Amino acid sequence: CLLSRGLGDVYKRQDQEMSRFNSVHDNIHKLHGACCYTGVPRLQRLCLEIESQFKTDRLDGLELNLDALAEEANLIVKAAQECINQSID
């Protein structure tokens, strides 16, 4: 029946979205742990804030925090590349 197929598709999409949501939460949790050992306090604070948002289902502003996390990660990678290049020269 068309209705049952349609509902099946909705449930399938819901499961996929929940899986992605859980995957992002797990990765943020791991990144937060790694930040504790690597001396990147701004990234650590962002991870903590995002992780708290996931735990409390307070998802307003999550996208902005994820964007800030990506921006901070890019700054860290750029700084690391500069250090590597200086040590090679």
Side-chain angles (χ1 to χ4, degrees):
C1 163
L2 186 60
L3 179 60
S4 64
R5 263 187 289 179
L7 288 174
D9 289 345
V10 167
Y11 290 129
K12 183 178 177 181
R13 276 189 239 125
Q14 236 178 354
D15 287 343
Q16 290 170 341
E17 286 181 27
M18 186 57 80
S19 178
R20 280 191 296 249
F21 180 85
N22 289 333
S23 177
V24 170
H25 181 223
D26 290 344
N27 286 324
I28 293 295
H29 179 75
K30 290 175 189 175
L31 181 58
H32 180 243
C35 288
C36 295
Y37 297 101
T38 55
V40 286
R42 288 187 300 240
L43 190 63
Q44 185 178 357
R45 277 193 303 275
L46 284 166
C47 287
L48 179 62
E49 175 63 28
I50 293 167
E51 198 170 3
S52 295
Q53 286 180 275
F54 276 113
K55 288 179 181 176
T56 61
D57 288 327
R58 188 177 41 88
L59 303 179
D60 54 306
L62 179 64
E63 188 173 341
L64 289 174
N65 280 336
L66 289 171
D67 288 344
L69 179 106
E71 186 177 322
E72 184 64 25
N74 286 332
L75 290 173
I76 292 167
V77 169
K78 183 179 176 185
Q81 279 296 329
E82 289 172 4
C83 286
I84 290 169
N85 290 338
Q86 286 177 357
S87 67
I88 293 173
D89 293 336

